[in-house]
Amino acid sequence: KKSSRKTYIVHMAKSEMPPSFQHHTHWYDSSLKSVSGSAAMLYTYDNVIHGFSTQLTDEEAEQLESQPGILAVLPEVRYELH
Amino acid sequence: TTRTPEFLGLSQAAALFPESESASEVVIGVLDTGVWPESKSFADTGLGPIPSSWKGACESGTNFTSANCNKKLIGARYFAKGYEAALGAIDETKESRSPRDDDGHGTHTASTAAGSVVEGASLFGYAQGTARGMATRARVAVYKVCWIGGCFSSDILAAMEKAIDDNVNVLSMSLGGGMSDYYRDSVAIGSFAAMEKGILVSCSAGNAGPAPYSLSNVAPWITTVGAGTLDRDFPAFVSLGNGKNFSGVSLYRGSPLPGKMLPFVYAGNASNATNGNLCMMDTLIPEKVAGKIVLCDRGMNVRVQKGAVVKAAGGIGMVLSNTAANGEELVADAHLLPATAVGQKSGDAIRDYLFSNPNPTVTILFEGTKVGIEPSPVVAAFSSRGPNSITSEILKPDMIAPGVNILAGWSGAVGPTGLATDTRRVDFNIISGTSMSCPHVSGLAGLLKAAHPDWSPAAIRSALMTTAYTEYKNKQKMQDVATGKPSTPFDHGAGHVDPVSALNPGLVYDLTAEDYLGFLCALNYTEFQIRSLARRNFSCDASKRYRVTDLNYPSFAVNFDSVMGGSNVVKHTRTLTNVGSPGTYKVSVSPETPGVKISVEPQTLSFSQANEKKSYTVTFSGSSQPTGTNVFARLEWSDGKYTVSSPIAISWT
């Protein structure tokens, strides 16, 4: 279960992007790679949130949440039609 | 849709709504199961060039190319990365990896909001008429985020991201999930961003009624829509061997029953399963139901599947009985065999007849479509109810709109029941839910946006709320089918939409993104939570006292602590903006509310300029009442020409 991956929505504090990065998506990718070499971003967002979605294990999600510039790592929710 | 334009007064007031350029400049984005582009509801006859502001696209995929779009359907995108990450690659033999709607729900909602005029629409002759969306000249952009396995929030966010880039004016979302706080709810998060861009977001309130605290999509920057009935019905009576008749509804069209009384059996007595009364798959004993009409109870499996189960077991017809959960609410279905749905009381009486008669017999008399049904609208039993479980000081739902037995466009990939065994194909289908009432309001918002391009999403919602009605023309109060009594603001919010009045509301309660940020401060959101939701560095002003009751909402929800003695005093501040002609408005509050004194200062507001703003304060002074007490009232400002009405819900918790 620990190793199984789930989708997370990662909220980033875009204004805290380190000056060494040219573009915020590079910073997002670097933050992601620091906790998981294999994870890829499903989507990046800039209108609705500043951040991205990706698949992580619970452990990786916890590690990512403690990274600088990370506001929240929220598990994906499944919605239903009404 | 058929009938709702007349029911809402749109047909009679067509001249009031601009058919000019502005009406066709409005783009309504629909996040749902996609679209069936061949539906006549997306014909673009008479529409001019695509608005220059439009930045969207028509994406290709399984069974869908950009050629499927036109000047009505101007955008079509699909989002499946989250869905496939969660459930694996889409099986393209089962669903189209494209904007194409394999389900029907998305075509239904999109055509309800903005479908073109289609003469001679019906479902097997039921609900016959001229079908049209609420905003017939608005453009449609669909964003497919819902798949067989559900609608995943990473896809929903991606679709909202794109819809904002594409420049939609209204977003319609007939979906919901959980009841988490706003900063954890992707629909609330994406809607905040959309609201900031001037996009009105209209969402379904949920179908978890009539239980209280059952709402979805309650963020104050979202327009939350409950469901009411129309003045149309599809009667199909149950006629028992003892001569008694019971009302039912049905959309069955097919081989008639034999013209005689037929043997009748209760499913619970024709099954070895403990829940055999529910007519679930493989639970009926063919020898016991063959050639008979079967009484099934609602619950667990979908209603139309019960009919298919009876048919598969050799039954020739079905009477489907409501249980306490749905009471007397009658939702019609296009069953695969002669079938009718009856209310709980009728179901109980029919069951008693079955148990007390050695040779029970029955037949079903189908009467087609009836209009002019009263009382109507009534609040649908399934429509989710307040109070607001996340922020009790914000009254939700905001309003109700038609959501029961709504005819609109359908997919060509699936039958009207949605069952795999249903090989029928239809252009229009009749279904029910707050999924259907939401796009009504989305389309009406589009009409208002066309008439008042400078109005904010909050102003549009305010106009729809302060002109909504809660009484019938005979002054009787609107009813709740779940109780048979007058509905309350926890059921109908501000009331049932009245778009013609909403066009000229006189005054509106406007709101900006900063107002909503202040609301988040009043909720004691952390800086991180506000930054997550609002994508900006925003610090609540430590020297300022933020109060939820200061949010300039067009309705009032007041909570008294039943423990505290008489000294319960709550103040709400509101600001009205003049969008009508100059006038002096006087306030009234009615009816008298036991246990609470309501006073308003000042008592009159005079407006001489357009967009002039005036504020007032309402003071609620409550005496102690038992926990769980609710009282309701309405606060109205009137200058003799306009009436600006707000519901008040007061609770002792």
Side-chain angles (χ1 to χ4, degrees), chain B residues 13-69:
Chain B
L16 289 175
F17 290 99
E19 286 297 314
S20 62
E21 220 28 54
S22 63
S24 59
E25 291 297 301
V26 171
V27 182
I28 298 177
V30 182
L31 270 68
D32 208 300
T33 61
V35 68
W36 192 262
E38 293 80 9
S39 168
K40 299 186 189 76
S41 294
F42 304 109
D44 62 359
T45 316
L47 280 176
I50 290 174
S52 54
S53 60
W54 181 244
K55 302 284 183 289
C58 206
E59 296 175 353
S60 295
T62 323
N63 308 320
F64 200 97
T65 72
S66 54
N68 288 117
C69 283

CSV table of all heavy atoms in Angstrom, one decimal, chain B residues 13-69:
chain,number,residue,atom,x,y,z
B,13,ALA,N,-41.5,36.4,-22.9
B,13,ALA,CA,-40.8,37.6,-22.8
B,13,ALA,C,-39.6,37.7,-23.7
B,13,ALA,O,-38.6,38.3,-23.5
B,13,ALA,CB,-40.3,37.7,-21.3
B,14,ALA,N,-39.7,36.9,-24.8
B,14,ALA,CA,-38.5,36.8,-25.7
B,14,ALA,C,-38.0,38.2,-26.1
B,14,ALA,O,-36.8,38.4,-26.2
B,14,ALA,CB,-39.0,36.0,-26.9
B,15,ALA,N,-39.0,39.1,-26.2
B,15,ALA,CA,-38.5,40.5,-26.7
B,15,ALA,C,-37.6,41.1,-25.7
B,15,ALA,O,-36.8,42.0,-26.0
B,15,ALA,CB,-39.8,41.3,-26.9
B,16,LEU,N,-37.7,40.7,-24.4
B,16,LEU,CA,-36.9,41.4,-23.4
B,16,LEU,C,-35.5,41.0,-23.5
B,16,LEU,O,-34.6,41.7,-23.0
B,16,LEU,CB,-37.5,41.0,-22.0
B,16,LEU,CG,-38.8,41.6,-21.6
B,16,LEU,CD1,-39.3,41.0,-20.3
B,16,LEU,CD2,-38.7,43.1,-21.5
B,17,PHE,N,-35.2,39.8,-24.0
B,17,PHE,CA,-33.8,39.3,-24.0
B,17,PHE,C,-33.2,39.7,-25.3
B,17,PHE,O,-33.7,39.4,-26.4
B,17,PHE,CB,-33.8,37.8,-23.8
B,17,PHE,CG,-34.2,37.4,-22.4
B,17,PHE,CD1,-35.5,37.0,-22.1
B,17,PHE,CD2,-33.3,37.6,-21.3
B,17,PHE,CE1,-35.8,36.7,-20.8
B,17,PHE,CE2,-33.6,37.3,-20.0
B,17,PHE,CZ,-34.9,36.8,-19.8
B,18,PRO,N,-32.0,40.2,-25.3
B,18,PRO,CA,-31.4,40.7,-26.5
B,18,PRO,C,-31.1,39.6,-27.4
B,18,PRO,O,-30.4,38.6,-27.0
B,18,PRO,CB,-30.1,41.4,-26.0
B,18,PRO,CG,-29.8,40.8,-24.7
B,18,PRO,CD,-31.1,40.4,-24.1
B,19,GLU,N,-31.6,39.6,-28.6
B,19,GLU,CA,-31.3,38.6,-29.6
B,19,GLU,C,-30.2,39.2,-30.4
B,19,GLU,O,-29.8,38.6,-31.4
B,19,GLU,CB,-32.5,38.2,-30.4
B,19,GLU,CG,-33.5,37.4,-29.7
B,19,GLU,CD,-32.9,36.0,-29.3
B,19,GLU,OE1,-32.3,35.4,-30.2
B,19,GLU,OE2,-33.1,35.6,-28.2
B,20,SER,N,-29.7,40.3,-30.0
B,20,SER,CA,-28.7,41.0,-30.8
B,20,SER,C,-27.4,40.3,-30.6
B,20,SER,O,-27.2,39.3,-30.1
B,20,SER,CB,-28.6,42.5,-30.3
B,20,SER,OG,-28.1,42.4,-29.0
B,21,GLU,N,-26.4,41.0,-31.1
B,21,GLU,CA,-25.0,40.5,-31.1
B,21,GLU,C,-24.6,40.0,-29.8
B,21,GLU,O,-24.1,38.9,-29.6
B,21,GLU,CB,-24.1,41.6,-31.6
B,21,GLU,CG,-23.0,41.1,-32.5
B,21,GLU,CD,-23.4,39.9,-33.3
B,21,GLU,OE1,-24.4,39.9,-34.0
B,21,GLU,OE2,-22.6,38.9,-33.2
B,22,SER,N,-24.9,40.8,-28.7
B,22,SER,CA,-24.4,40.4,-27.4
B,22,SER,C,-24.8,39.0,-27.0
B,22,SER,O,-24.1,38.3,-26.3
B,22,SER,CB,-24.8,41.4,-26.3
B,22,SER,OG,-26.3,41.4,-26.2
B,23,ALA,N,-26.0,38.6,-27.3
B,23,ALA,CA,-26.5,37.3,-26.9
B,23,ALA,C,-25.6,36.2,-27.5
B,23,ALA,O,-25.4,35.2,-26.8
B,23,ALA,CB,-27.9,37.1,-27.3
B,24,SER,N,-25.1,36.4,-28.6
B,24,SER,CA,-24.3,35.4,-29.2
B,24,SER,C,-22.8,35.6,-29.0
B,24,SER,O,-22.0,34.9,-29.6
B,24,SER,CB,-24.6,35.3,-30.8
B,24,SER,OG,-24.2,36.6,-31.3
B,25,GLU,N,-22.5,36.6,-28.1
B,25,GLU,CA,-21.1,36.7,-27.7
B,25,GLU,C,-20.8,35.9,-26.5
B,25,GLU,O,-19.6,35.7,-26.1
B,25,GLU,CB,-20.8,38.2,-27.4
B,25,GLU,CG,-20.9,39.1,-28.6
B,25,GLU,CD,-19.8,38.8,-29.6
B,25,GLU,OE1,-18.6,38.9,-29.3
B,25,GLU,OE2,-20.1,38.4,-30.8
B,26,VAL,N,-21.9,35.4,-25.8
B,26,VAL,CA,-21.7,34.7,-24.6
B,26,VAL,C,-21.3,33.3,-24.8
B,26,VAL,O,-21.9,32.6,-25.6
B,26,VAL,CB,-22.9,34.8,-23.7
B,26,VAL,CG1,-22.8,33.9,-22.5
B,26,VAL,CG2,-23.2,36.3,-23.3
B,27,VAL,N,-20.3,32.8,-24.1
B,27,VAL,CA,-19.8,31.4,-24.2
B,27,VAL,C,-20.1,30.7,-22.9
B,27,VAL,O,-19.6,31.2,-21.9
B,27,VAL,CB,-18.3,31.3,-24.6
B,27,VAL,CG1,-17.9,29.9,-24.8
B,27,VAL,CG2,-18.1,32.1,-25.9
B,28,ILE,N,-20.8,29.6,-23.0
B,28,ILE,CA,-21.1,28.8,-21.8
B,28,ILE,C,-20.2,27.5,-21.8
B,28,ILE,O,-20.3,26.7,-22.8
B,28,ILE,CB,-22.6,28.5,-21.7
B,28,ILE,CG1,-23.4,29.8,-21.6
B,28,ILE,CG2,-22.8,27.5,-20.5
B,28,ILE,CD1,-24.9,29.6,-21.5
B,29,GLY,N,-19.3,27.4,-20.9
B,29,GLY,CA,-18.5,26.2,-20.8
B,29,GLY,C,-19.2,25.2,-19.9
B,29,GLY,O,-19.7,25.5,-18.8
B,30,VAL,N,-19.2,23.9,-20.3
B,30,VAL,CA,-19.8,22.8,-19.6
B,30,VAL,C,-18.8,21.7,-19.3
B,30,VAL,O,-18.3,21.1,-20.2
B,30,VAL,CB,-21.0,22.3,-20.4
B,30,VAL,CG1,-21.8,21.2,-19.6
B,30,VAL,CG2,-22.0,23.4,-20.8
B,31,LEU,N,-18.6,21.5,-18.0
B,31,LEU,CA,-17.7,20.4,-17.6
B,31,LEU,C,-18.6,19.2,-17.3
B,31,LEU,O,-19.4,19.3,-16.4
B,31,LEU,CB,-16.9,20.8,-16.4
B,31,LEU,CG,-15.5,21.5,-16.6
B,31,LEU,CD1,-15.7,22.9,-17.2
B,31,LEU,CD2,-14.7,21.5,-15.3
B,32,ASP,N,-18.4,18.2,-18.1
B,32,ASP,CA,-19.4,17.0,-18.0
B,32,ASP,C,-18.8,15.8,-18.7
B,32,ASP,O,-17.6,15.7,-18.8
B,32,ASP,CB,-20.7,17.5,-18.6
B,32,ASP,CG,-21.9,16.8,-17.9
B,32,ASP,OD1,-21.9,15.5,-18.0
B,32,ASP,OD2,-22.7,17.4,-17.3
B,33,THR,N,-19.7,15.0,-19.4
B,33,THR,CA,-19.3,13.8,-20.1
B,33,THR,C,-19.0,14.1,-21.6
B,33,THR,O,-19.0,13.1,-22.3
B,33,THR,CB,-20.3,12.7,-19.9
B,33,THR,OG1,-21.6,13.2,-20.6
B,33,THR,CG2,-20.6,12.4,-18.5
B,34,GLY,N,-19.0,15.3,-22.0
B,34,GLY,CA,-18.7,15.6,-23.4
B,34,GLY,C,-19.9,15.9,-24.1
B,34,GLY,O,-20.9,16.4,-23.5
B,35,VAL,N,-19.9,15.7,-25.4
B,35,VAL,CA,-21.1,16.2,-26.2
B,35,VAL,C,-21.3,15.3,-27.4
B,35,VAL,O,-20.3,14.6,-27.9
B,35,VAL,CB,-20.8,17.6,-26.7
B,35,VAL,CG1,-19.6,17.7,-27.7
B,35,VAL,CG2,-22.0,18.3,-27.4
B,36,TRP,N,-22.5,15.1,-27.9
B,36,TRP,CA,-22.8,14.4,-29.1
B,36,TRP,C,-23.1,15.4,-30.2
B,36,TRP,O,-24.1,16.1,-30.3
B,36,TRP,CB,-24.1,13.6,-28.9
B,36,TRP,CG,-24.3,12.6,-30.0
B,36,TRP,CD1,-25.1,12.7,-31.1
B,36,TRP,CD2,-23.7,11.3,-30.1
B,36,TRP,NE1,-25.1,11.6,-31.9
B,36,TRP,CE2,-24.2,10.7,-31.3
B,36,TRP,CE3,-22.7,10.6,-29.4
B,36,TRP,CZ2,-23.7,9.5,-31.8
B,36,TRP,CZ3,-22.3,9.4,-29.8
B,36,TRP,CH2,-22.8,8.8,-31.0
B,37,PRO,N,-22.1,15.8,-31.0
B,37,PRO,CA,-22.1,17.0,-31.8
B,37,PRO,C,-23.2,16.9,-32.9
B,37,PRO,O,-23.6,17.9,-33.4
B,37,PRO,CB,-20.7,17.0,-32.4
B,37,PRO,CG,-20.2,15.7,-32.3
B,37,PRO,CD,-20.8,15.1,-31.1
B,38,GLU,N,-23.6,15.7,-33.2
B,38,GLU,CA,-24.7,15.6,-34.2
B,38,GLU,C,-26.0,16.0,-33.7
B,38,GLU,O,-27.0,16.1,-34.5
B,38,GLU,CB,-24.7,14.1,-34.7
B,38,GLU,CG,-23.5,13.7,-35.5
B,38,GLU,CD,-22.3,13.3,-34.6
B,38,GLU,OE1,-22.5,13.2,-33.3
B,38,GLU,OE2,-21.2,13.1,-35.1
B,39,SER,N,-26.2,16.2,-32.4
B,39,SER,CA,-27.5,16.6,-31.9
B,39,SER,C,-27.9,17.9,-32.5
B,39,SER,O,-27.2,18.8,-32.6
B,39,SER,CB,-27.4,16.8,-30.3
B,39,SER,OG,-28.6,17.4,-29.9
B,40,LYS,N,-29.2,17.9,-32.9
B,40,LYS,CA,-29.8,19.1,-33.5
B,40,LYS,C,-29.7,20.3,-32.6
B,40,LYS,O,-29.8,21.5,-33.0
B,40,LYS,CB,-31.2,18.9,-33.9
B,40,LYS,CG,-31.4,17.7,-34.9
B,40,LYS,CD,-32.9,17.7,-35.4
B,40,LYS,CE,-33.2,16.4,-36.2
B,40,LYS,NZ,-33.3,15.2,-35.3
B,41,SER,N,-29.5,20.1,-31.3
B,41,SER,CA,-29.4,21.2,-30.4
B,41,SER,C,-28.1,22.0,-30.6
B,41,SER,O,-28.0,23.1,-30.0
B,41,SER,CB,-29.4,20.6,-28.9
B,41,SER,OG,-30.7,20.1,-28.7
B,42,PHE,N,-27.2,21.5,-31.4
B,42,PHE,CA,-26.0,22.2,-31.6
B,42,PHE,C,-25.9,22.7,-33.0
B,42,PHE,O,-24.8,23.0,-33.5
B,42,PHE,CB,-24.8,21.3,-31.2
B,42,PHE,CG,-24.8,20.9,-29.7
B,42,PHE,CD1,-25.1,19.6,-29.4
B,42,PHE,CD2,-24.8,21.8,-28.7
B,42,PHE,CE1,-25.2,19.2,-28.1
B,42,PHE,CE2,-24.9,21.4,-27.4
B,42,PHE,CZ,-25.1,20.1,-27.1
B,43,ALA,N,-27.0,22.7,-33.7
B,43,ALA,CA,-27.0,23.3,-35.0
B,43,ALA,C,-26.7,24.8,-34.9
B,43,ALA,O,-27.1,25.5,-33.9
B,43,ALA,CB,-28.4,23.2,-35.7
B,44,ASP,N,-26.0,25.4,-35.9
B,44,ASP,CA,-25.6,26.8,-35.7
B,44,ASP,C,-26.2,27.7,-36.7
B,44,ASP,O,-25.8,28.8,-37.0
B,44,ASP,CB,-24.0,26.9,-35.9
B,44,ASP,CG,-23.5,26.4,-37.3
B,44,ASP,OD1,-24.4,26.0,-38.1
B,44,ASP,OD2,-22.3,26.5,-37.5
B,45,THR,N,-27.4,27.2,-37.2
B,45,THR,CA,-28.1,28.1,-38.2
B,45,THR,C,-28.4,29.5,-37.6
B,45,THR,O,-28.8,29.6,-36.5
B,45,THR,CB,-29.5,27.4,-38.5
B,45,THR,OG1,-29.3,26.0,-38.6
B,45,THR,CG2,-30.1,28.1,-39.7
B,46,GLY,N,-28.0,30.5,-38.4
B,46,GLY,CA,-28.3,31.8,-38.0
B,46,GLY,C,-27.3,32.5,-37.1
B,46,GLY,O,-27.5,33.6,-36.7
B,47,LEU,N,-26.3,31.7,-36.7
B,47,LEU,CA,-25.3,32.3,-35.8
B,47,LEU,C,-24.2,33.0,-36.6
B,47,LEU,O,-23.7,32.4,-37.6
B,47,LEU,CB,-24.7,31.2,-34.9
B,47,LEU,CG,-25.6,30.8,-33.7
B,47,LEU,CD1,-25.0,29.7,-32.9
B,47,LEU,CD2,-25.8,32.0,-32.8
B,48,GLY,N,-23.8,34.1,-36.1
B,48,GLY,CA,-22.7,34.8,-36.8
B,48,GLY,C,-21.3,34.2,-36.5
B,48,GLY,O,-21.2,33.2,-35.9
B,49,PRO,N,-20.3,34.9,-36.9
B,49,PRO,CA,-18.9,34.4,-36.7
B,49,PRO,C,-18.7,34.2,-35.2
B,49,PRO,O,-19.3,34.8,-34.3
B,49,PRO,CB,-18.0,35.6,-37.2
B,49,PRO,CG,-18.9,36.5,-38.0
B,49,PRO,CD,-20.3,36.3,-37.5
B,50,ILE,N,-17.7,33.3,-34.9
B,50,ILE,CA,-17.4,33.0,-33.6
B,50,ILE,C,-16.8,34.2,-32.9
B,50,ILE,O,-16.0,35.0,-33.5
B,50,ILE,CB,-16.3,31.8,-33.6
B,50,ILE,CG1,-17.0,30.5,-34.0
B,50,ILE,CG2,-15.6,31.7,-32.2
B,50,ILE,CD1,-16.1,29.4,-34.2
B,51,PRO,N,-17.2,34.5,-31.6
B,51,PRO,CA,-16.7,35.8,-31.0
B,51,PRO,C,-15.2,35.9,-31.1
B,51,PRO,O,-14.5,34.9,-30.9
B,51,PRO,CB,-17.2,35.6,-29.5
B,51,PRO,CG,-18.3,34.6,-29.6
B,51,PRO,CD,-18.0,33.7,-30.7
B,52,SER,N,-14.7,37.1,-31.3
B,52,SER,CA,-13.3,37.3,-31.5
B,52,SER,C,-12.5,37.0,-30.2
B,52,SER,O,-11.4,36.8,-30.2
B,52,SER,CB,-13.0,38.8,-31.9
B,52,SER,OG,-13.7,39.6,-30.9
B,53,SER,N,-13.3,37.1,-29.1
B,53,SER,CA,-12.6,36.9,-27.8
B,53,SER,C,-12.3,35.4,-27.5
B,53,SER,O,-11.6,35.1,-26.6
B,53,SER,CB,-13.5,37.4,-26.6
B,53,SER,OG,-14.8,36.6,-26.7
B,54,TRP,N,-12.9,34.6,-28.3
B,54,TRP,CA,-12.8,33.1,-28.1
B,54,TRP,C,-11.4,32.6,-28.4
B,54,TRP,O,-10.8,32.9,-29.4
B,54,TRP,CB,-13.8,32.4,-28.9
B,54,TRP,CG,-13.8,30.9,-28.7
B,54,TRP,CD1,-13.5,29.9,-29.6
B,54,TRP,CD2,-14.0,30.2,-27.4
B,54,TRP,NE1,-13.5,28.7,-29.0
B,54,TRP,CE2,-13.9,28.8,-27.7
B,54,TRP,CE3,-14.4,30.6,-26.2
B,54,TRP,CZ2,-14.0,27.9,-26.7
B,54,TRP,CZ3,-14.5,29.7,-25.2
B,54,TRP,CH2,-14.4,28.3,-25.4
B,55,LYS,N,-10.8,31.9,-27.4
B,55,LYS,CA,-9.4,31.3,-27.6
B,55,LYS,C,-9.5,29.8,-27.5
B,55,LYS,O,-8.4,29.2,-27.4
B,55,LYS,CB,-8.5,31.9,-26.5
B,55,LYS,CG,-8.4,33.4,-26.4
B,55,LYS,CD,-7.5,33.9,-27.5
B,55,LYS,CE,-7.3,35.4,-27.4
B,55,LYS,NZ,-8.6,36.1,-27.8
B,56,GLY,N,-10.7,29.2,-27.5
B,56,GLY,CA,-10.7,27.8,-27.3
B,56,GLY,C,-10.4,27.0,-28.6
B,56,GLY,O,-10.0,27.5,-29.6
B,57,ALA,N,-10.6,25.6,-28.5
B,57,ALA,CA,-10.3,24.8,-29.6
B,57,ALA,C,-11.2,23.6,-29.6
B,57,ALA,O,-11.9,23.3,-28.6
B,57,ALA,CB,-8.9,24.3,-29.4
B,58,CYS,N,-11.1,22.8,-30.7
B,58,CYS,CA,-11.9,21.6,-30.9
B,58,CYS,C,-11.0,20.5,-31.0
B,58,CYS,O,-10.3,20.3,-32.1
B,58,CYS,CB,-12.8,21.8,-32.2
B,58,CYS,SG,-14.3,20.9,-32.1
B,59,GLU,N,-10.8,19.7,-30.0
B,59,GLU,CA,-9.7,18.7,-30.0
B,59,GLU,C,-10.2,17.4,-30.6
B,59,GLU,O,-11.4,17.0,-30.5
B,59,GLU,CB,-9.3,18.4,-28.5
B,59,GLU,CG,-8.7,19.6,-27.9
B,59,GLU,CD,-8.3,19.3,-26.4
B,59,GLU,OE1,-8.7,18.3,-25.9
B,59,GLU,OE2,-7.7,20.2,-25.8
B,60,SER,N,-9.3,16.7,-31.3
B,60,SER,CA,-9.6,15.5,-32.0
B,60,SER,C,-9.3,14.3,-31.1
B,60,SER,O,-8.5,14.4,-30.2
B,60,SER,CB,-8.8,15.3,-33.3
B,60,SER,OG,-9.2,16.4,-34.2
B,61,GLY,N,-10.0,13.2,-31.3
B,61,GLY,CA,-9.8,12.0,-30.6
B,61,GLY,C,-10.7,10.9,-31.1
B,61,GLY,O,-11.2,11.0,-32.3
B,62,THR,N,-11.0,9.9,-30.3
B,62,THR,CA,-11.8,8.8,-30.8
B,62,THR,C,-13.1,9.3,-31.3
B,62,THR,O,-13.8,10.0,-30.6
B,62,THR,CB,-12.1,7.8,-29.6
B,62,THR,OG1,-11.0,7.7,-28.8
B,62,THR,CG2,-12.6,6.5,-30.1
B,63,ASN,N,-13.5,9.0,-32.6
B,63,ASN,CA,-14.8,9.4,-33.1
B,63,ASN,C,-15.1,10.9,-33.0
B,63,ASN,O,-16.2,11.3,-32.8
B,63,ASN,CB,-15.9,8.7,-32.4
B,63,ASN,CG,-15.7,7.2,-32.4
B,63,ASN,OD1,-15.3,6.6,-33.4
B,63,ASN,ND2,-16.0,6.5,-31.2
B,64,PHE,N,-14.0,11.7,-33.0
B,64,PHE,CA,-14.3,13.2,-32.9
B,64,PHE,C,-13.2,13.9,-33.6
B,64,PHE,O,-12.0,13.6,-33.3
B,64,PHE,CB,-14.4,13.6,-31.4
B,64,PHE,CG,-15.1,14.9,-31.2
B,64,PHE,CD1,-16.5,14.9,-30.8
B,64,PHE,CD2,-14.5,16.1,-31.3
B,64,PHE,CE1,-17.1,16.1,-30.6
B,64,PHE,CE2,-15.1,17.3,-31.1
B,64,PHE,CZ,-16.5,17.3,-30.7
B,65,THR,N,-13.6,14.9,-34.4
B,65,THR,CA,-12.5,15.7,-35.0
B,65,THR,C,-13.0,17.2,-35.0
B,65,THR,O,-14.2,17.4,-34.6
B,65,THR,CB,-12.4,15.4,-36.6
B,65,THR,OG1,-13.5,15.9,-37.2
B,65,THR,CG2,-12.2,13.9,-36.8
B,66,SER,N,-12.1,18.1,-35.3
B,66,SER,CA,-12.5,19.5,-35.2
B,66,SER,C,-13.6,19.8,-36.2
B,66,SER,O,-14.4,20.8,-36.0
B,66,SER,CB,-11.3,20.3,-35.6
B,66,SER,OG,-10.8,19.9,-36.8
B,67,ALA,N,-13.9,18.9,-37.1
B,67,ALA,CA,-15.0,19.1,-38.1
B,67,ALA,C,-16.3,19.0,-37.3
B,67,ALA,O,-17.4,19.4,-37.8
B,67,ALA,CB,-14.9,18.2,-39.2
B,68,ASN,N,-16.3,18.4,-36.2
B,68,ASN,CA,-17.5,18.2,-35.4
B,68,ASN,C,-18.0,19.5,-34.7
B,68,ASN,O,-19.1,19.6,-34.2
B,68,ASN,CB,-17.4,17.2,-34.3
B,68,ASN,CG,-17.3,15.8,-35.0
B,68,ASN,OD1,-16.3,15.1,-34.9
B,68,ASN,ND2,-18.4,15.4,-35.6
B,69,CYS,N,-17.1,20.5,-34.7
B,69,CYS,CA,-17.5,21.8,-34.1
B,69,CYS,C,-18.1,22.7,-35.1
B,69,CYS,O,-18.0,22.5,-36.3
B,69,CYS,CB,-16.3,22.4,-33.4
B,69,CYS,SG,-15.9,21.6,-31.9
